[in-house]
Amino acid sequence: MLDPHYLQQIADGAENISSQLHEYIIRQIVDRMMIRIGRGKDYLLTSSDAWRIQVLQDSGYLLQDITAELAKYTKRQKEVKAAMEEAGVKALEYDDKIYRDAGMSPVPLTQSPALIRLMERNYNATLGEWRNMTRSTAEAAQRLFLNECDLAYSKVMSGAVAYNQAVREAVESIVKSGVYVDYPSGHRDTIEVATARAVRTGIAQAAGDISIKRMEEMDWDIILVSAHIGARTGDGGQNPGNHLWWQGQFYSRTGRDKRFPNFYEHTGYGTGEGLCGWNCRHSFGSGDGVNNPYADIQTADNVRIEKLEQRQRTLERRVRKTKREVMGLQEAVDKCQDEAARFELQQTLDQKSYLLSRQNKAYNEFCEENSLRPLSE
């Protein structure tokens, strides 16, 4: 069983890597855009066919650059593997104590081929999801560059806006939009959020699969599910989506022990909305049906804490987004060769820098006032 706070923090490293990657991609898009549209009005006003060819060539270079950088970042995925191995060991520490107290002799995780295969399967699945996200991210970056270059060109050629304004609007659009991961459901997330969710979910599922496999080996039936303040409540009903409803209780894995509810039916383990599902911080392990360290957890303030943590995540996303905008605008100011356009970009940069300072201050004050752990970045 894993501590909920452990699962909350376990994805921080991968999320930070993805944040660095996102910032790099935005800087590369802005840099390529300044090469194409930041040299002055005369450079921009070439024939439409020649312009299109040049933009397409630049987009190809951009894609190559980002793809090469992605290869460097994917090599850092050893951090995910290390985190998953650590989580597997920690998950069995609690469980094995229960088994030993019952007179059983469970073998260590590293000496169990079956458990190691389970961990590798979950690691490869998480790694595959990350690779798919980064590949689609590179393609999204290329589309963003093409769209904004074409839009800036059309604005100037049609006389709709002045050249300086077109450049500033193009850069602002890129740094504000960022690059997102689109899911088949239509939902979209930033690279950072998508990575944190994938890693946290992958580790939770790996730990869960290992615990279930060990219970099958030991023929153990009783399961204890962890609990934490701030558990999601879903629609508030008695269903797997309401984690507050099923957390911190004993369950029967097989249904043999009629004293406890069925584990799978009540917690929704194995589904996206239930235990160890999307971004879930709960875990579970073997239980004795008597000693429950989560029995006295105070759930009266759960909804309040849940809302505070949701607010904290919202503030973190805002700070990260503004930080990305500041870095992108700084790149544009540094690379823009047209004096008038650079002056307008610098004004926007100054405004965003001031906003970032205010957001950082408000975020730190919010965390301090509500006794929440702030992100180090």
Side-chain angles (χ1 to χ4, degrees), residues 81 113 122 157 176 191 225 262-263 268 290 307 338 345 367:
K81 186 174 184 179
N122 280 277
M157 291 298 288
K176 284 181 180 178
I191 309 169
V225 174
N262 182 277
F263 173 68
V290 178
K307 292 186 181 302
D338 183 85
L345 288 168
C367 291

Side-chain angles (χ1 to χ4, degrees), residues 46-92:
T46 57
S47 68
S48 59
D49 288 342
W51 168 263
R52 185 63 181 167
I53 291 172
Q54 290 170 340
V55 170
L56 286 172
Q57 287 176 338
D58 284 345
S59 74
Y61 298 141
L62 173 68
L63 185 60
Q64 290 175 9
D65 291 342
I66 293 177
T67 301
E69 189 69 12
L70 287 173
K72 297 178 185 177
Y73 276 88
T74 51
K75 290 178 182 178
R76 298 176 62 183
Q77 290 168 345
K78 61 183 181 182
E79 295 183 24
V80 177
K81 186 174 184 179
M84 194 164 285
E85 290 174 352
E86 178 187 284
V89 172
K90 284 185 174 293
L92 289 186

Side-chain angles (χ1 to χ4, degrees), residues 21 24 30 84 153 251 271 346 353:
L21 174 61
Y24 168 84
V30 171
M84 194 164 285
Y153 180 81
Y251 294 92
T271 66
Q346 182 65 56
S353 297

Side-chain angles (χ1 to χ4, degrees), residues 259-317:
R259 295 177 298 168
F260 308 114
N262 182 277
F263 173 68
Y264 295 97
E265 291 178 0
H266 277 68
T267 67
Y269 179 71
T271 66
E273 64 178 2
L275 173 62
C276 297
W278 305 307
N279 224 23
C280 180
R281 287 155 49 194
H282 288 97
S283 183
F284 64 90
S286 54
D288 59 10
V290 178
N291 298 297
N292 183 354
Y294 302 103
D296 296 329
I297 189 169
Q298 300 298 316
T299 58
D301 288 339
N302 186 85
V303 174
R304 182 182 68 85
I305 298 298
E306 180 186 17
K307 292 186 181 302
L308 284 176
E309 291 182 344
Q310 288 174 349
R311 177 62 179 168
Q312 183 185 19
R313 298 287 90 80
T314 298
L315 292 176
E316 288 169 356
R317 288 192 294 269

Side-chain angles (χ1 to χ4, degrees), residues 3 8 33 51 85 102 109 123 133 165 184 225 228 245 249 255 283 287 292 319 325 331 345 351 355 360:
D3 182 85
Q8 182 181 17
M33 176 171 284
W51 168 263
E85 290 174 352
L109 171 64
Y123 168 69
M133 288 189 302
Q165 183 178 344
V225 174
H228 64 85
W245 174 61
Q249 301 176 49
S283 183
N292 183 354
V319 170
E325 292 177 15
E331 185 76 15
L345 288 168
Q351 294 170 358
L355 175 61
N360 270 316

Side-chain angles (χ1 to χ4, degrees), residues 84 109 112-124 205-214 216-217:
M84 194 164 285
L109 171 64
S112 172
L115 298 185
I116 291 176
R117 283 195 297 270
L118 272 178
M119 183 182 296
E120 290 178 343
R121 185 189 69 186
N122 280 277
Y123 168 69
N124 289 329
Q205 290 176 346
D209 288 349
I210 288 172
S211 291
I212 288 290
K213 186 65 177 178
R214 175 57 59 87
E216 292 173 353
E217 291 176 352

Side-chain angles (χ1 to χ4, degrees), residues 303-361:
V303 174
R304 182 182 68 85
I305 298 298
E306 180 186 17
K307 292 186 181 302
L308 284 176
E309 291 182 344
Q310 288 174 349
R311 177 62 179 168
Q312 183 185 19
R313 298 287 90 80
T314 298
L315 292 176
E316 288 169 356
R317 288 192 294 269
R318 288 180 182 176
V319 170
R320 189 178 283 124
K321 181 175 183 293
T322 305
K323 178 185 174 186
R324 192 169 60 243
E325 292 177 15
V326 168
M327 297 184 71
L329 285 164
Q330 185 65 62
E331 185 76 15
V333 169
D334 293 342
K335 298 297 175 63
C336 186
Q337 299 181 30
D338 183 85
E339 291 294 335
R342 186 192 299 123
F343 176 77
E344 292 196 13
L345 288 168
Q346 182 65 56
Q347 287 185 311
T348 305
L349 172 59
D350 292 342
Q351 294 170 358
K352 286 294 180 182
S353 297
Y354 176 66
L355 175 61
L356 178 60
S357 176
R358 290 177 56 193
Q359 288 178 338
N360 270 316
K361 184 175 184 243

Side-chain angles (χ1 to χ4, degrees), residues 167-184:
V167 173
R168 177 173 55 80
E169 289 179 353
V171 173
E172 286 182 352
S173 178
I174 286 174
V175 298
K176 284 181 180 178
S177 299
V179 182
Y180 287 83
V181 175
D182 291 308
Y183 296 91

